[in-house]
Structure formats: C-alpha cells, structure tokens
Amino acid sequence: MLGLRPWSPWREQDAAAVLTALSAPEMSRQTAGEPVDSRESASRWIARREEEERAGTAYAFAVVDGDDVPLGNVAVGAVNHVHATGWVSYWTAPSARGRGVATYGCEALARWAFGELGLFRLELGHRVNNPASCRVARAAGFVAEGLQRQKLAYEGVRYDVELHARLASDLPVAASGGFPSPTSPGKPP
C-alpha cells in the first residue's frame, strides 16, 4: 500500500532514506546543486523542503509504503498563485523503481495540488532519453505538449525535454494501479 505522508511530508528521521536514494550517481540531478553524500547533507535537503513549504513556493511529499518507509518524492514547485500553475518533479529510490511509486505519487500530488492549493495547470518535463519518466508522466495523466530543444545541460551535454501538462479540468486518471486514494497531505483543519 502506498500513500503520501500527510502534514509532515519529510522528517529528520528520513535522512538515512534520503541519503540512500540521492547518493546514487544518477540522482545528482535531483539535488538542486548540493550533493547529498552524508547524513548532514540529507538533513539539509529535508530542511530546504521545509523552508520552501513555509515560503509557499514548493511542496514536497514522501511517497511511503504501508510501514511509512519513504520510497520516493513528489513535489510541486514554482507555484504561481496568480496563474494557478506549478511545476511537478519526482524521483524514486533505486530499490523502489518499477513498482508504480512515481506514478502513484504524481497522480496523488496532482489531486492534492488541484484541490488543496487551488492550482489549475501542472507542468513537468523529462529528458527525451528518459522513457521511464515519460511513462510515469503519461500514466499520471500528464499530456505531452511539445519539445523544448536543448533545454537542460548536464556535464556539458545539452538535452531536449518533452513538456507534459495536466489541467484541473482533465478527466480523472485511474493511475493509482489499484493503490488506495492518497491521504490528503494538506494541513489538518
């Protein structure tokens, strides 16, 4: 059983799980410039997520299993309340890949962002050489809208990015793969 952890998306006790997930070489692009290579840097990663939430600019949630073990992260950032838009990102721990964790998390996050935050449009992008990320986006109801040529640069190489979007007015998606509806990660009443 998967869920989004409500009210306290990432916690200090998750630092070991964050370190394990983000210290994998291919995950360095998910760390916003600071490598996560120690327990202290994992704690700083968690603290930055809390700061972003307090500022109202981004909201990150642990996707957890039935035992509350973090398997991945979903986030909506670049939140713009004037235009009711946000940018979705996601990652899964290497040990959790291929199990529907990112798809479940993105679909649950979209429902939360449309409901709790009142957003209308969510966007995400993936390198065109990342078909797994494309499958996640499509399964979570994000429609491909176009190609952004050479948008990203990693280690001196430029990559094209496929842009996807999901609107609040789009039909609901049965992307949870049989997983239960997410617990609303919004603040308690």
Side-chain angles (χ1 to χ4, degrees):
M1 181 164 104
L2 297 174
L4 295 187
R5 185 182 292 147
W7 307 305
S8 178
W10 284 100
R11 304 183 292 225
E12 178 56 35
Q13 55 264 43
D14 297 328
V18 169
L19 175 60
T20 298
L22 294 180
S23 64
E26 72 277 9
M27 297 297 286
S28 64
R29 297 178 182 131
Q30 300 290 334
T31 62
E34 180 186 356
V36 176
D37 55 7
S38 67
R39 175 85 184 208
E40 294 74 27
S41 59
S43 293
R44 286 192 299 276
W45 184 91
I46 292 168
R48 280 194 305 280
R49 306 294 74 82
E50 293 167 352
E51 290 167 10
E52 292 168 344
E53 182 175 347
R54 280 192 301 275
T57 59
Y59 303 85
F61 297 97
V63 182
V64 296
D65 66 13
D67 295 322
D68 198 39
V69 174
L71 303 174
N73 177 71
V74 292
V76 58
V79 173
N80 181 318
H81 290 287
V82 172
H83 299 291
T85 61
W87 183 264
V88 171
S89 61
Y90 47 91
W91 55 259
T92 56
S95 63
R97 292 188 187 144
R99 296 173 31 197
V101 171
T103 299
Y104 171 84
C106 285
E107 204 280 328
L109 177 73
R111 285 187 276 151
W112 177 83
F114 293 145
E116 188 75 24
L117 286 182
L119 298 183
F120 179 77
R121 178 183 171 88
L122 297 175
E123 298 175 345
L124 64 81
H126 63 83
R127 294 182 328 276
V128 295
N129 67 340
N130 187 346
S133 192
C134 187
R135 285 190 298 273
V136 167
R138 289 179 183 273
F142 288 77
V143 176
E145 291 190 333
L147 185 69
Q148 297 173 305
R149 298 179 307 137
Q150 297 188 14
K151 180 174 182 172
L152 300 177
Y154 296 116
E155 300 166 0
V157 177
R158 297 218 61 95
Y159 294 90
D160 291 348
V161 171
E162 186 172 59
L163 178 67
H164 292 249
R166 183 169 169 188
L167 308 178
S169 58
D170 289 343
L171 294 175
V173 177
S176 61
F179 299 124
S181 295
T183 304
S184 172
K187 300 298 179 206

